Amino acid sequence: MITPWQDRSGRFYPFKAVVFAGLLLPGVWTAIAFGLGGLGALRLNAAIHLLGIWALRFLFLSLLITPAKEILHWARLVQVRRMVGVAAFAYALAHLLFYVAEQSFDVATVADEIFFRGFLTVGLAALLGLALLAATSTDKMMKKLGGRRWRRLHRLVYAIAVVATLHYLQQLMLGEREPIVMLGLLYWLLLYRLLGVTLAQGPLGLFSVVLMSIAAAVLTALTEASLISVASGVAFGRVLVLNFSLELGIRPAWIVALPGIILACAGIAPRYQALTGMKTPSASAVRPLSRRP
Amino acid sequence: MFVGRRPGWRLPDNDATPEAVFWSRREALALTASAGFSALARPQRSQAALPEYPPHTSRFGLSQPLTAEKYATSYNNYYEFDSGRARAPQAGSFKTKPWRVVIDGLVEEAQSFDLDDFLGKVPLEERLYRHRCVEGWAMAVPWIGFPLKVLVNLARPLGSAKYLRLESFMDPETAPGQKQFWYPWPYVEALTIAEADNELSFLVTGAYGKALLAQNGAPLRLATPWKYGFKSIKSIVRLSLTEERPITFWERQQPQEYGFWANVNPDVPHPRWSQAWERLLGTDERRPTKIWNGYGDYVASIYATLDKEPLFK
């Protein structure tokens, strides 16, 4: 059994320990704020929202591990992927438990609501999917299923991410930023994978990552404008041009473009070092695998 | 206005206001007396400036405890000031003094006056009302104000007037939410004349013994406690009597989810959630929603002949 702070060979792996602590942090913060009255007038409600949003963030983070590994040439990053995915499930489960608590543990009402309210049905579907992946995430299950079948099963995570984002978007208030940002990041994650298996037939180059990030941002802007214009009847173009003003703050599309571009810039360093054959300490930190026998 | 008669919605003394609330009102009045210093020392100056009103407090009551002031003043929907999720509208530069109010439309005598001048002439009273938001949360608040009909009758509505249209302020510079042009600003609400004339329809200028805070709809808001909260329009600048039924803000924005009547009913769910229960601010408690939010004895008769209308949407 490997603890959350050990690497595969059983040695203490500080990076993994930090990620583990980071995964616990939002939960601990929520629990403390809940207990001390920091969550406002409807603390159950606030906790539901916080746990749900962190579940989605961690789910996306688990999907970002492979692209980040490829862009940063950081193979050991994969060692935290399972932990991040299981954390997403844990937060989603807590999200549901707090909903049940908010309904005063009235299971009949909960079942009724999940059946009749579309967005709750969708949310439960995502949670069940995550439960399946969490249950099959152990080494034992991996061996039992066999690598090929296991990988195929765990590709389900992309569908789950789509369903979970839909669950979030179904409660969108027009003009609200974060749900649209999450949708845009989902575009980015899906595009990266899609292009990787089609056009690039392997990891994308840095320039492609930048272009793809811009494409994801444009797609986000178009989706946002469509949603608002369909829901309210205002002109599509009028919402779209908002992206070029600060009238209503920084628009989601810009936030969506950012992480991919930053990641691509960070990816220059390991490539440059590989090219020049430099072995600086930072290079070994970026590619620890190459150091190991 | 009432003279000795105690309407049934004023429950007797056994459910009196918690002492803390009563005393906070006393303190507010004391502050008014020494207003000079508070004007300089406190940014929320309007908080202290409320005309004297009789301590009716103990004559009002509820079948539930009052919501703590800190919750009623921090958990709000005020889309003019935030997108709705943050729940703590920042209304920093919002000026509520001077505040002009206009009554026009189908009236014999249109009026335009400064709210402070008017408040000096109308007797204020305190009422403990339940408030039920369409989103499923609820509170009980000691509002201070006067009956809506007092103001409406001032302008003497014509016989042809059938509806009262209420309009909120419009100032995107201080209310950034109004820059979201996909919403049909300014906020508009409306009542039938019968609803506006009902004794429960109350115009509010204060709460918890103080002048109303911006996030609660200062300086003048409506309270129609048998309807979902969005009917209780905030920061009113104009009241117009009309013959045609006005289209309200949410009705225009999302007609499939929000209608003109919006009376509280546990058995008619919102398309996205059940209305069977309500959550009380400041508690983890869930209680069953009451039809007409518990005020059926006073308002159900208004709707006796309107059974073909979607009264609960």
Side-chain angles (χ1 to χ4, degrees):
Chain A
M1 175 82 194
I2 302 165
T3 62
W5 46 88
Q6 286 172 319
D7 66 12
R8 290 241 147 221
S9 61
R11 271 182 302 182
F12 178 67
Y13 185 13
F15 173 69
K16 213 176 150 191
V18 167
V19 172
F20 181 60
L23 294 172
L24 291 178
L25 211 60
V28 172
W29 188 90
T30 304
I32 292 174
F34 186 86
L36 296 182
L39 294 185
L42 292 181
R43 59 179 188 163
L44 285 169
N45 222 288
I48 293 170
H49 184 67
L50 278 171
L51 293 166
I53 194 96
W54 280 103
L56 195 62
R57 285 174 186 164
F58 287 149
L59 178 60
F60 280 18
L61 196 61
S62 76
L63 287 171
L64 183 66
I65 303 271
T66 301
K69 176 195 81 174
E70 292 171 355
I71 295 168
L72 301 174
H73 285 182
W74 187 1
R76 282 184 95 191
L77 201 51
V78 176
Q79 291 196 29
V80 300
R81 188 170 59 184
R82 167 162 54 189
M83 201 159 78
V84 178
V86 172
F89 166 67
Y91 279 91
L93 185 63
H95 173 65
L96 174 69
L97 291 179
F98 269 81
Y99 173 68
V100 177
E102 195 221 16
Q103 299 291 331
S104 302
F105 299 96
D106 172 0
V107 181
T109 304
V110 171
D112 208 59
E113 286 289 285
I114 289 177
F115 185 77
F116 283 108
R117 315 292 158 208
F119 81 99
L120 291 179
T121 320
V122 167
L124 186 71
L127 178 63
L128 290 178
L130 283 175
L132 178 66
L133 298 195
T136 56
S137 69
T138 59
D139 288 349
K140 215 165 128 191
M141 285 305 290
M142 217 182 285
K143 227 170 255 156
K144 206 166 156 188
L145 285 167
R148 207 192 162 90
R149 264 169 66 200
W150 186 88
R151 269 197 301 278
R152 200 179 300 158
L153 175 67
H154 277 248
R155 246 174 250 151
L156 197 61
V157 73
Y158 290 99
I160 295 170
V162 172
V163 173
T165 308
L166 178 65
H167 169 64
Y168 190 20
L169 280 171
Q170 280 172 306
Q171 303 149 79
L172 176 77
M173 298 181 190
L174 285 192
E176 208 186 353
R177 197 162 51 189
E178 183 152 6
I180 304 291
V181 169
M182 293 309 270
L183 178 68
L185 295 176
L186 178 70
Y187 286 157
W188 191 97
L189 292 166
L190 292 178
L191 271 177
Y192 185 91
R193 274 316 169 85
L194 205 67
L195 295 180
V197 296
T198 56
L199 289 178
Q201 303 274 319
L204 293 186
L206 294 186
F207 189 62
S208 309
V209 171
V210 171
L211 284 183
M212 199 205 79
S213 302
I214 293 168
V218 170
L219 224 57
T220 306
L222 293 173
T223 316
E224 187 197 28
S226 319
L227 283 175
I228 292 180
S229 109
V230 167
S232 70
V234 299
F236 177 82
R238 231 183 128 198
V239 187
L240 208 56
V241 295
L242 261 188
N243 285 291
F244 301 101
S245 93
L246 283 173
E247 181 89 330
L248 282 168
I250 298 169
R251 299 314 300 163
W254 295 99
I255 302 172
V256 168
L258 220 55
I261 293 172
I262 292 174
L263 216 51
C265 292
I268 296 172
R271 282 170 183 74
Y272 177 75
Q273 279 149 8
L275 213 66
T276 55
M278 276 198 316
K279 280 277 174 196
T280 59
S282 68
S284 59
V286 169
R287 290 201 296 162
L289 266 189
S290 62
R291 216 162 37 127
R292 298 178 64 204
Chain B
M1 264 157 286
F2 56 95
V3 204
R5 185 177 65 98
R6 178 200 284 155
W9 45 265
R10 290 187 189 132
L11 300 185
D13 299 2
N14 58 353
D15 226 343
T17 311
E19 208 180 4
V21 171
F22 180 81
W23 283 112
S24 72
R25 191 172 63 78
R26 291 279 115 187
E27 281 158 23
L29 291 176
L31 255 178
T32 317
S34 58
F37 99 93
S38 68
L40 289 170
R42 311 176 82 216
Q44 290 283 5
R45 181 184 173 211
S46 60
Q47 263 225 271
L50 191 71
E52 183 84 36
Y53 59 92
H56 283 155
T57 320
S58 68
R59 300 191 52 192
F60 296 84
L62 288 166
S63 56
Q64 68 192 76
L66 280 177
T67 300
E69 183 181 355
K70 65 171 173 176
Y71 295 127
T73 55
S74 69
Y75 197 91
N76 292 285
N77 282 330
Y78 206 162
Y79 284 61
E80 283 83 341
F81 294 104
D82 84 11
S83 68
R85 285 248 199 255
R87 302 294 182 188
Q90 299 296 311
S93 58
F94 185 47
K95 276 210 181 66
T96 55
K97 268 175 207 290
W99 193 266
R100 266 211 109 60
V101 178
V102 172
I103 317 177
D104 60 6
L106 301 174
V107 293
E108 276 179 39
E109 219 169 319
Q111 309 267 336
S112 167
F113 54 84
D114 179 75
L115 183 63
D116 269 356
D117 292 346
F118 179 77
L119 291 183
K121 291 171 202 152
V122 65
L124 296 183
E125 54 177 304
E126 184 173 55
R127 294 183 179 186
L128 310 189
Y129 271 178
R130 279 184 289 272
H131 176 99
R132 171 60 157 82
C133 177
V134 71
E135 294 173 336
W137 55 268
M139 57 183 177
V141 181
W143 297 125
I144 300 155
F146 53 94
L148 172 60
K149 64 177 167 195
V150 169
L151 189 50
V152 173
N153 290 344
L154 210 67
R156 282 179 284 137
L158 298 175
S160 54
K162 291 198 172 67
Y163 296 93
L164 176 68
R165 178 185 185 276
L166 302 109
E167 186 180 302
S168 187
F169 75 103
M170 180 74 183
D171 181 10
E173 287 315 307
T174 54
Q178 293 183 336
K179 291 181 183 167
Q180 298 190 326
F181 50 79
W182 46 85
Y183 285 117
W185 307 112
Y187 200 92
V188 168
E189 260 307 335
L191 299 170
T192 64
I193 292 296
E195 289 173 333
D197 269 347
N198 188 277
E199 59 182 334
L200 282 180
S201 292
F202 198 53
L203 281 176
V204 176
T205 60
Y208 295 95
K210 301 163 200 153
L212 214 50
L213 293 173
Q215 60 266 38
N216 289 113
L220 186 69
R221 71 167 295 165
L222 181 67
T224 45
W226 71 99
K227 291 176 175 289
Y228 289 117
F230 67 85
K231 294 294 291 184
S232 293
I233 180 173
K234 292 167 169 165
S235 308
I236 301 165
V237 295
R238 184 184 210 104
L239 303 94
S240 311
L241 287 120
T242 67
E243 192 169 358
E244 254 178 67
R245 194 168 92 185
I247 299 174
T248 65
F249 180 87
W250 285 111
E251 194 183 10
R252 192 180 293 279
Q253 180 69 15
Q254 273 166 282
Q256 64 285 24
E257 297 193 353
Y258 305 102
F260 168 80
W261 299 98
N263 295 304
V264 176
N265 186 338
D267 299 325
V268 180
H270 182 276
R272 283 180 287 151
W273 56 82
S274 159
Q275 295 290 23
W277 302 91
E278 60 196 34
R279 276 148 212 95
L280 298 179
L281 293 193
T283 74
D284 297 334
E285 201 188 332
R286 183 188 79 156
R287 330 170 127 220
T289 304
K290 295 173 181 160
I291 184 145
W292 312 105
N293 200 22
Y295 294 98
D297 288 352
Y298 318 104
V299 296
S301 61
I302 301 175
Y303 306 100
T305 58
L306 291 167
D307 50 348
K308 287 203 174 60
E309 290 285 331
L311 291 174
F312 304 103
K313 185 188 147 195

